[in-house]
Amino acid sequence: MSETLHLTAEWDKTFPKSDKVDHSKVTFHNRYGITLAADLYRPQGASGKLAAIAVCGPFGAVKEQASGLYAQELAERGFLTLAFDPSFTGESGGEPRNVASPDINTEDFCAAVDALSVREDVDPERIGILGVCGWGGMAINAAAADTRIKATVASTMYDMTRVTANGYFDAEDSADLRQKKREAFSRQRTEDYKNGTYARAGGVADEIPEDAPQFVKDYFAYYKTPRGYHPRSLNSNAGWNVTSAISFLNMPILQYSSEIRSAVLVVHGEKAHSCYFGKDAFAKLKGENKELLLIPGASHTDLYDQKQIIPFDRITDFFHRYLG
């Protein structure tokens, strides 16, 4: 069922290694038979069965970036954490490369819970997940399906299906504009099949115009500088398979998020261009164990890796309350 992966042995993260946690590389598989690569962070000196958290995101990033930073910080605070590369991305398996799927990527979170739940050093009743950016939406989607997930944090979340179908700020929310997208994606599939290759889209351009929107400048500053660049990150390089966007246009996530009974914390920067995703996602949630935290003055990418801005104290308190 599983593939053989070749994992990097050296520390190649965009953040420094902590001397307070033990780090190791691990693999696990999802129910599509794809082997996923992950970094396991464990508090030094910890014993017994620990509360555990699976972490992924942002969309197009790899575990050596934001998700690893979140995982290592939370491990310093007493949790066993697993930062993983999603299917088709980074060191994880899956062919063709550089594609995404709302179904498979939601399954990736559930597969991470599978892997954590059978570890001898994890309490299977105390497992949470954390998704950053596009994987914030996937995390909430997974929580709507998997009752083993006791607590979920979505940080600076994106709903990738909504932005694909409706455009940024819902500016392309019409049947005619969606039809034009479908026609373009469909034509591209034919061309790709003729050529035997897959057209790429997304990522960050090598240069941006001075009048580019601020959120484009934020992405550029993150992915094209040492702050966020990583050679395996799709956002730093090639981008996604453009034809994989068809499923994101046609299969919206978060349809049953109103039925999530476990705890959810939605974190967003008030200056983030994507803040409406978090607010709208939170508005659908029900129950006293649902929380929205807006960070004054924070942009979207601030919550990727700016430790002085990311509300780790609040996130830690949330997971302690609901995972014990």
Side-chain angles (χ1 to χ4, degrees), residues 26-299:
V26 299
T27 62
F28 60 96
H29 63 271
N30 66 19
R31 291 202 168 192
Y32 290 93
I34 299 170
T35 301
L36 303 180
D39 286 303
L40 183 76
Y41 298 91
R42 195 175 188 280
Q44 284 191 356
S47 61
K49 291 184 176 293
L50 304 176
I53 304 166
V55 188
C56 194
F59 195 85
V62 289
K63 64 188 180 305
E64 289 74 21
Q65 297 172 292
S67 61
L69 183 147
Y70 274 78
Q72 181 175 259
E73 178 70 22
L74 289 170
E76 286 187 352
R77 294 162 179 257
F79 301 98
L80 184 146
T81 60
L82 187 73
F84 65 91
D85 285 333
S87 296
F88 314 109
T89 305
E91 292 186 310
S92 286
E95 292 290 341
R97 304 303 295 167
N98 304 345
V99 298
S101 159
D103 182 28
I104 295 176
N105 296 142
T106 298
E107 158 64 17
D108 288 341
F109 260 125
C110 296
V113 175
D114 292 342
L116 289 171
S117 66
V118 299
R119 289 184 59 91
E120 292 185 358
D121 54 359
V122 169
D123 182 345
E125 297 300 318
R126 300 163 64 205
I127 295 176
I129 60 176
L130 188 154
V132 184
C133 190
W135 257 257
M138 300 297 179
I140 294 176
N141 207 47
D146 193 332
T147 60
R148 299 172 301 170
I149 299 169
K150 305 304 181 184
T152 300
V153 172
S155 181
T156 196
M157 71 155 281
Y158 249 69
D159 180 342
M160 296 303 301
T161 58
R162 177 175 171 180
V163 76
T164 302
N166 297 350
Y168 288 108
F169 308 107
D170 295 330
E172 301 170 4
D173 185 12
S174 77
D176 288 342
L177 290 175
R178 275 188 288 276
Q179 182 64 16
K180 288 183 179 180
K181 291 182 184 180
R182 294 184 187 104
E183 291 170 353
F185 293 151
S186 298
R187 286 194 301 269
Q188 189 63 54
R189 285 188 67 104
T190 301
E191 290 302 311
D192 288 349
Y193 201 83
K194 287 179 181 178
N195 298 332
T197 60
Y198 296 98
R200 301 285 185 239
V204 177
D206 291 332
E207 296 182 3
I208 57 174
E210 291 185 5
D211 61 349
Q214 185 58 47
F215 70 87
V216 175
K217 294 179 180 178
D218 289 342
Y219 283 133
F220 186 86
Y222 179 74
Y223 286 113
K224 291 298 186 181
T225 67
R227 175 186 167 195
Y229 176 84
H230 195 278
R232 287 193 293 275
S233 169
L234 304 181
N235 296 323
S236 298
N237 297 287
W240 293 89
N241 173 351
V242 67
T243 54
S244 72
I246 291 178
S247 61
F248 280 86
L249 188 153
N250 202 45
M251 294 190 291
I253 59 175
L254 309 183
Q255 294 304 290
Y256 296 100
S257 58
S258 63
E259 299 178 7
I260 298 174
R261 297 188 180 184
S262 58
V264 179
L265 170 63
V266 178
V267 180
H268 240 292
E270 285 189 325
K271 286 180 59 179
H273 72 283
S274 57
C275 194
Y276 67 100
F277 286 127
K279 289 179 177 179
D280 289 356
F282 176 75
K284 292 183 65 177
L285 302 175
K286 297 179 180 179
E288 294 182 358
N289 58 353
K290 310 301 189 293
E291 303 174 24
L292 174 65
L293 176 61
L294 298 179
I295 309 301
S299 72

